[in-house]
Amino acid sequence: MFFIFIAAVVLVTFDSWAQEPSASQTVRVLPPKAGPITQNAFGRLVAPWRLDSAKMERQQVFATVCDDAKLCFSFSMSDPQYCESGQKAGPWCLQFSQPNPPAQLVQALIQAFEPDLSEDFWEDKPMGTEFGTREEAPRQAIRLTPDKVLEMIDGDLPKGWALSVRSPHPDARNVALASIVATGPEGSLNLELLEPYTGDWAVCSINYCIDVHEGGAGSVSPATVSTILQALGHRLLQTDSSAPFSQQYATHWRVLLVIVLAVTILLSIIALAGQIPLTHLVLLTALFCLGLGLRLFYSPHTFLHEFGYVTNQLLSINGGALNSYGEAPFVLAWVFNLLFHNQATAFFVASALMAALTIPLVGLLDWLLFDRWDKAHFSAFLLALLPLHLRFSASGVASIALALFSVWGLAMVLLYAKSRSLSALFAGTLAVFLATQSRPEFIIWPVIVLLFVILNGQYKTCLKPGFFAAAALLVLLLAVRFVMFPIAQDAPAPEAYLSFKRIVLFNPDVTPWVFLMFALVGLVWSFSKRFKQTALLVLLILGMAFFYMYFFDNETYTLRTQVALAPFFAMIAGGFAGAIGDFLSKPRWLNYLLLAVASLLVVFSTAQLTNWIKENPLVNQEYSFVHQALPKLPDGPNVALYAPELGPHAFPRMLFGDMGKLIRLVPVERDITGGKDIKFKRGTTMLYKGLYCYADKGKEREQCQLLQRNCELKPILTGSLAGRPSLAGVKPNSKPNQDFSTYEVGFYEVISCGSR
């Protein structure tokens, strides 16, 4: 079995890395030095022009320049080699969003960029490597042939029209996957098949977008273009629903993770056979069933994340883009979604199941560290009822999977040290690998496991040949894909954020006093029995908490990241059972009676926090509103919706595909005065007024207010959300520091825009 697993790893690895693009297939890319050079060029702009904003996305720069009167113009900057309809300026091709930009502005930009013309600005790189890493490269670049594309989109076109597909145009966007030509009575229509969600294109499904190539409509009327896009878009939606994107690189990686998870489960069952007495096995199974029932029917099924994260997480189980924070938390949901075709159910049930599996594993780990079954069972029981863990168990946050795989890996490796079972060792190795793929900072977890083995007095285990083989397997798996942690460059200074008060498990508003009292007693008892193991548990809790505090200071982030500490906190608090057992060992019935009373106090104290546990945050309410509203919205490629494109409040675009809707999403920051950015003027233009309109920072709120102020809007569907602003990153709607606010959201038709 072990060699079969190794073969599977090698096959998946080589299949993912095979067919590298040849050096002769090159694309022109921006080198790293382009950023500072371009920034300096903007500094050379002459008055009255100044740079308002700019962002670099792959091989393009999107910028907005304003004058002293705050009259602004937006434009894109790309490779001048393919500049047909734009204005060349130094090493750039400028294409303005607004027609007829002022000649004074154009001349100012030419003068600013002209000195950079001598720079070796653009470089040639092999196709597929232009984005630096494999995960950033177009996922379909190797496997998506013209025949495959034609099979995906060929459908009910207008009479007399036919399709042909070829490789992308030489001047196509760098995210183009194929060029499509529709030929018919009115001439030729040039289209592009594109990666999803990297721009505001005409029609998108979950996995692809189709847009008209720049200047590609020719003599074809807008009505015919709209009809063709409508047909192709709905065909894409059908392709998504019938074929779950199973031939892409992202899926290969998920298949490997599914294999790893399945082998981990099988090896763990083999390793545990005969190791746990039947009575204790039954009790741990009962605690698992209790925990699973609570997490399926009591824990709130909430995303607890902004739209941007919701979209990324749900795309992960629809075969979409790889998640930069690790795939392991979503791989089980991905499997459930393939089986049951219900992404929301798959997402929440998988999370609840992983949370429940952590409970018996905490009991096993506790027994391996402290050799007391009474303490082990009580620790597992405390985790099953811990309010923080209950609140997030069915929310799909990565910390739930992280808690599971970190405890699982540590328990199995310690079981190997105790029993010398190779099944336990390799199960632990695979679980440790899954922990590293849950959140990138847990690349350190193998070192933590090693410390526990050494401090548990089993350091000789590390010298066994099997241990070296397991370490080699872990290195091989990490070599397949190493997840890097995207640390912000402007991370705050630690002294401004480190505080014991921000460890939410120590906060009585989150963790009832009963748990805290048990933790205090358990800490004293645990130190007296197993000092080194207890000290490492305490350092682990504090270290993880302070690590997360370093980066962000907001309530929802602090809550969801510290869920990963819950198993280790429960093990400390479980020491209360050990203390009772030592001080009141006789008569035995009194010991059981006190533990029963303690258990009732735990149930009662958790029930007191039911409203907090089951709180329905604003973000979840907004998602539900959008989910219910989308089927009632207008449909078609000539329907445009202004909403956030990027950032934490990004609109959940993948819902368009779920609802079978063809709606062109336009970033809210675009200037829609007079509808100039609307590709089809006879269509419907909408504005989504969501929580981003109340954001506590960023330009999205200002743009939303500007559009509401300058445009005539007609309500289509509206609603109201009520909840705590601090969990949604929005301002209180009335009083400062208000704990509860109401927010109006909705979809509005844009009738006209202008100075009002």
Side-chain angles (χ1 to χ4, degrees):
M1 180 184 303
F2 173 71
F3 289 108
I4 291 175
F5 173 70
I6 292 295
V9 172
V10 173
L11 283 174
V12 171
T13 305
F14 277 96
D15 188 60
S16 298
W17 288 347
Q19 305 181 48
E20 290 289 350
S22 65
S24 61
Q25 297 174 292
T26 61
V27 291
R28 283 164 60 86
V29 301
L30 287 173
K33 64 180 181 180
I37 292 176
T38 306
Q39 185 176 1
N40 292 335
F42 278 119
R44 293 194 290 265
L45 279 174
V46 296
W49 304 103
R50 58 175 179 79
L51 178 66
D52 179 68
S53 64
K55 62 178 179 179
M56 184 174 291
E57 290 187 1
R58 296 180 174 175
Q59 318 313 330
Q60 285 183 298
V61 174
F62 298 92
T64 300
V65 171
C66 303
D67 64 7
D68 293 338
K70 296 187 178 179
L71 179 63
C72 299
F73 295 87
S74 299
F75 54 92
S76 64
M77 303 161 56
S78 56
D79 189 350
Q81 182 173 317
Y82 309 116
C83 193
E84 295 178 355
S85 58
Q87 170 67 53
K88 290 187 178 181
W92 296 104
C93 174
L94 309 182
Q95 291 185 312
F96 288 85
S97 301
Q98 300 93 328
N100 303 318
Q104 182 189 13
L105 170 60
V106 175
Q107 189 59 36
L109 290 169
I110 292 175
Q111 292 177 1
F113 292 124
E114 202 66 31
D116 299 329
L117 188 58
S118 59
E119 292 280 351
D120 187 13
F121 214 76
W122 294 86
E123 296 179 356
D124 291 331
K125 282 192 175 183
M127 185 177 295
T129 65
E130 62 266 36
F131 304 130
T133 63
R134 291 187 56 86
E135 288 75 13
E136 295 171 330
R139 291 170 286 112
Q140 301 92 335
I142 295 175
R143 307 185 193 287
L144 211 52
T145 63
D147 289 341
K148 175 64 177 176
V149 174
L150 191 59
E151 177 186 339
M152 288 165 42
I153 63 174
D154 198 11
D156 298 327
L157 293 177
K159 187 176 180 180
W161 287 86
L163 294 176
S164 63
V165 179
R166 60 174 182 265
S167 298
H169 292 287
D171 59 339
R173 278 166 281 197
N174 60 322
V175 288
L177 306 171
S179 291
I180 305 165
V181 179
T183 308
E186 299 180 36
S188 296
L189 175 64
N190 293 321
L191 305 164
E192 292 173 341
L193 182 71
L194 305 156
E195 288 190 273
Y197 313 129
T198 44
D200 53 325
W201 297 306
V203 292
C204 288
S205 65
I206 293 176
N207 299 312
Y208 305 99
C209 290
I210 292 181
D211 190 18
V212 179
H213 181 64
E214 189 69 33
S219 60
V220 182
S221 66
T224 303
V225 173
S226 175
T227 302
I228 292 174
L229 285 174
Q230 181 98 3
L232 296 180
H234 281 294
R235 184 71 180 92
L236 277 183
L237 294 177
Q238 294 171 9
T239 301
D240 277 344
S241 61
S242 61
F245 208 31
S246 59
Q247 295 185 344
Q248 309 306 329
Y249 172 77
T251 300
H252 281 71
W253 178 244
R254 293 189 185 96
V255 169
L256 175 59
L257 289 179
V258 170
I259 294 173
V260 170
L261 181 58
V263 174
T264 305
I265 294 171
L266 183 59
L267 290 177
S268 298
I269 293 173
I270 295 172
L272 289 171
Q275 295 294 327
I276 302 177
L278 181 60
T279 302
H280 299 301
L281 183 62
V282 170
L283 284 173
L284 289 177
T285 303
L287 288 170
F288 164 74
C289 294
L290 170 65
L292 182 61
L294 288 172
R295 280 148 184 80
L296 287 175
F297 304 108
Y298 180 72
S299 294
H301 291 191
T302 57
F303 289 106
L304 294 167
H305 267 209
E306 299 88 345
F307 272 168
Y309 296 109
V310 172
T311 296
N312 289 336
Q313 290 171 342
L314 290 183
L315 276 176
S316 293
I317 69 171
N318 280 285
L322 288 167
N323 190 315
S324 62
Y325 281 89
E327 289 290 289
F330 312 112
V331 67
L332 191 59
W334 179 69
V335 173
F336 286 175
N337 190 46
L338 292 179
L339 294 175
F340 305 114
H341 304 290
N342 187 318
Q343 63 182 16
T345 299
F347 192 74
F348 297 132
V349 170
S351 181
L353 180 59
M354 288 191 292
L357 280 172
T358 311
I359 295 168
L361 287 169
V362 161
L364 175 63
L365 177 59
D366 196 294
W367 170 64
L368 290 167
L369 286 175
F370 293 93
D371 200 23
R372 289 284 295 263
W373 276 115
D374 54 348
K375 179 183 182 308
H377 292 311
F378 196 63
S379 296
F381 175 73
L382 290 177
L383 181 63
L385 274 294
L386 190 65
L388 181 65
H389 200 258
L390 278 170
R391 172 169 178 150
F392 285 88
S393 286
S395 65
V397 295
S399 298
I400 289 295
L402 178 60
L404 168 65
F405 295 129
S406 60
V407 170
W408 195 343
L410 181 55
M412 286 295 110
V413 173
L414 288 177
L415 182 62
Y416 162 73
K418 182 181 181 68
S419 65
R420 296 296 189 271
S421 166
L422 287 177
S423 298
L425 175 61
F426 285 102
T429 302
L430 297 179
V432 167
F433 168 70
L434 291 172
T436 67
Q437 302 303 303
S438 297
R439 280 192 65 94
E441 63 270 22
F442 259 63
I443 194 68
I444 193 66
W445 194 245
V447 178
I448 303 296
V449 171
L450 187 62
L451 284 175
F452 268 105
V453 172
I454 294 173
L455 293 180
N456 209 39
Q458 297 159 323
Y459 56 89
K460 292 183 179 179
T461 302
C462 305
L463 304 177
K464 300 289 182 180
F467 202 87
F468 286 105
L473 174 61
L474 182 61
V475 170
L476 173 64
L477 288 167
L478 289 174
V480 178
R481 180 166 185 255
F482 183 81
V483 182
M484 296 300 294
F485 187 39
I487 300 176
Q489 294 182 353
D490 57 347
E495 59 267 20
Y497 289 87
L498 302 188
S499 168
F500 282 99
K501 295 179 181 179
R502 290 188 56 219
I503 303 179
V504 294
L505 284 167
F506 299 166
N507 184 346
D509 293 331
V510 175
T511 305
W513 280 107
V514 171
F515 286 83
L516 296 175
M517 181 189 72
F518 291 167
L520 183 60
V521 175
L523 182 65
V524 174
W525 180 87
S526 299
F527 267 125
S528 68
K529 297 297 182 181
R530 299 286 174 91
F531 180 84
K532 291 182 290 186
Q533 293 89 331
T534 304
L536 192 52
L537 283 175
V538 172
L539 289 175
L540 185 61
I541 292 172
L542 297 178
M544 290 172 65
F546 288 147
F547 175 85
Y548 291 126
M549 285 180 203
Y550 178 82
F551 291 102
F552 297 103
D553 182 23
N554 64 75
E555 182 179 0
T556 181
Y557 170 84
T558 303
L559 286 170
R560 69 174 184 256
T561 53
Q562 293 191 25
V563 172
L565 314 181
F568 309 107
F569 174 83
M571 291 172 62
I572 295 294
F576 178 80
I580 294 296
D582 283 355
F583 290 108
L584 293 171
S585 57
K586 294 181 181 180
R588 201 67 178 169
W589 63 268
L590 183 58
N591 184 1
Y592 292 147
L593 178 62
L594 287 175
L595 286 178
V597 171
S599 300
L600 288 175
L601 287 174
V602 168
V603 173
F604 177 77
S605 61
T606 298
Q608 295 295 106
L609 288 180
T610 294
N611 289 338
W612 180 83
I613 294 171
K614 299 177 75 68
E615 179 181 5
N616 190 16
L618 285 165
V619 172
N620 207 68
Q621 296 176 48
E622 185 179 21
Y623 185 89
S624 298
F625 169 76
V626 172
H627 192 275
Q628 295 169 14
L630 281 183
K632 305 172 186 177
L633 296 180
D635 182 32
N638 56 343
V639 177
L641 174 67
Y642 281 83
E645 181 190 21
L646 300 170
H649 295 285
F651 194 83
R653 290 162 286 190
M654 41 75 59
L655 285 180
F656 289 148
D658 286 357
M659 303 298 172
K661 291 288 184 179
L662 296 175
I663 299 177
R664 178 173 177 254
L665 186 68
V666 182
V668 71
E669 63 267 21
R670 296 276 288 273
D671 177 13
I672 65 171
T673 302
K676 292 175 182 176
D677 282 334
I678 304 305
K679 193 170 291 186
F680 304 102
K681 291 185 172 61
R682 290 186 299 169
T684 301
T685 305
M686 296 182 292
L687 168 69
Y688 175 64
K689 178 185 175 183
L691 285 178
Y692 74 93
C693 296
Y694 306 94
D696 56 2
K697 56 185 177 180
K699 291 186 176 181
E700 291 175 339
R701 180 169 64 94
E702 298 174 9
Q703 295 292 340
C704 178
Q705 292 174 349
L706 178 65
L707 292 175
Q708 292 181 82
R709 191 166 57 245
N710 293 339
C711 297
E712 180 184 353
L713 304 175
K714 177 183 177 182
I716 299 176
L717 289 167
T718 60
S720 61
L721 316 175
R724 282 197 290 155
S726 58
L727 291 182
V730 297
K731 289 181 176 293
N733 205 17
S734 53
K735 301 176 182 178
N737 303 318
Q738 185 177 348
D739 288 335
F740 193 87
S741 292
T742 302
Y743 302 88
E744 298 298 323
V745 298
F747 294 87
Y748 296 81
E749 182 179 358
V750 181
I751 306 300
S752 62
C753 288
S755 299
R756 299 177 61 191

